[in-house]
Amino acid sequence: MTNNTDAVAYAFLFSGDHEQIIYGALSRLHLSPVHADFDDYVQECRLAFPAIYRAFPEDPQTKPHQFLAYAQLALYRRILDQLRKAWRHQDHQETGDPELALAAVPVAERLEDLVHARQYRLRLLQVVGTTGTLGEWRYLVGTLIDHRSAAELATHHGVSRQTVYRWRRALLRRVTQEFFDQF
């Protein structure tokens, strides 16, 4: 029975301009055809459509306008949930400043490796200790020794998170100049 219902649902979706609800839902989420995953989201909506068709409390064939509004909202919520999960996953993968993550991902990865490599810790502490600013020092000690997040550092030092991110960027620039010029 599911296959027959799915066939009826897809026949309904592809009749007339009903497929526009998919593009409407994606448009509400500011996903346009230039987005890298746009086609994947369109396919996800198409795959989810039969379940939404079956979940409608009344007959979609007799109340097509109400069903289309219901389906567009359901598709919107489904894709929004997927985007939120992706954002949460991305937030757990990245540490701290989104600007830094976008601007210098390879350097940031190399910095993490550098900071956690024992042979470079002493040199890093010497460089920041002799020529670094107080903010760079606070960031380095707070992350290496105290294992604090940006929010915890901001609270501890009575500054904003943006200030902590500024310390991080300055430290990243200093470390990049000091260490990565030799690689």
Side-chain angles (χ1 to χ4, degrees):
M1 178 169 166
T2 303
N3 288 341
N4 190 27
T5 307
D6 288 356
V8 171
Y10 283 125
F12 181 84
L13 177 63
F14 295 120
S15 67
D17 63 348
H18 295 165
E19 196 175 15
Q20 291 300 315
I21 63 167
I22 292 173
Y23 300 106
L26 296 177
S27 177
R28 279 184 64 193
L29 292 166
H30 304 286
L31 296 171
S32 67
V34 297
H35 189 276
D37 297 327
F38 182 78
D39 292 332
D40 294 334
Y41 290 124
V42 170
Q43 286 297 76
E44 179 66 32
C45 289
R46 287 177 182 152
L47 291 172
F49 189 80
I52 295 168
Y53 188 88
R54 286 189 301 273
F56 189 63
E58 299 179 45
D59 182 23
Q61 299 291 337
T62 60
K63 296 192 173 188
H65 296 293
Q66 290 85 351
F67 171 70
L68 289 171
Y70 170 85
Q72 184 173 11
L73 182 61
L75 292 171
Y76 167 81
R77 288 180 177 165
R78 182 180 185 98
I79 300 301
L80 181 61
D81 286 344
Q82 288 183 356
L83 289 170
R84 285 180 179 156
K85 286 177 187 175
W87 292 330
R88 264 188 252 122
H89 179 71
Q90 185 179 7
D91 286 345
H92 290 295
Q93 297 298 318
E94 295 175 358
T95 55
D97 187 358
E99 180 182 310
L100 177 65
L102 292 175
V105 170
V107 173
E109 288 172 4
R110 288 167 52 189
L111 173 64
E112 289 296 321
D113 293 341
L114 181 69
V115 166
H116 295 294
R118 287 190 180 275
Q119 70 261 26
Y120 291 111
R121 282 188 185 177
L122 181 59
R123 179 72 180 126
L124 181 63
L125 292 172
Q126 288 173 342
V127 167
V128 175
T130 56
T131 61
T133 66
L134 180 61
E136 293 169 347
W137 184 253
R138 285 179 173 174
Y139 181 82
L140 186 64
V141 169
T143 55
L144 272 182
I145 297 170
D146 299 333
H147 303 288
R148 292 186 174 159
S149 68
E152 292 169 336
L153 282 172
T155 303
H156 180 73
H157 293 292
V159 297
S160 70
R161 284 190 323 213
Q162 293 302 327
T163 300
V164 174
Y165 292 142
R166 211 176 4 231
W167 295 345
R168 181 180 179 190
R169 282 191 299 271
L171 178 63
L172 179 62
R173 277 192 300 273
R174 183 174 309 284
V175 169
T176 301
Q177 290 170 355
E178 182 67 29
F179 290 98
F180 296 137
D181 289 340
Q182 61 185 329
F183 291 117

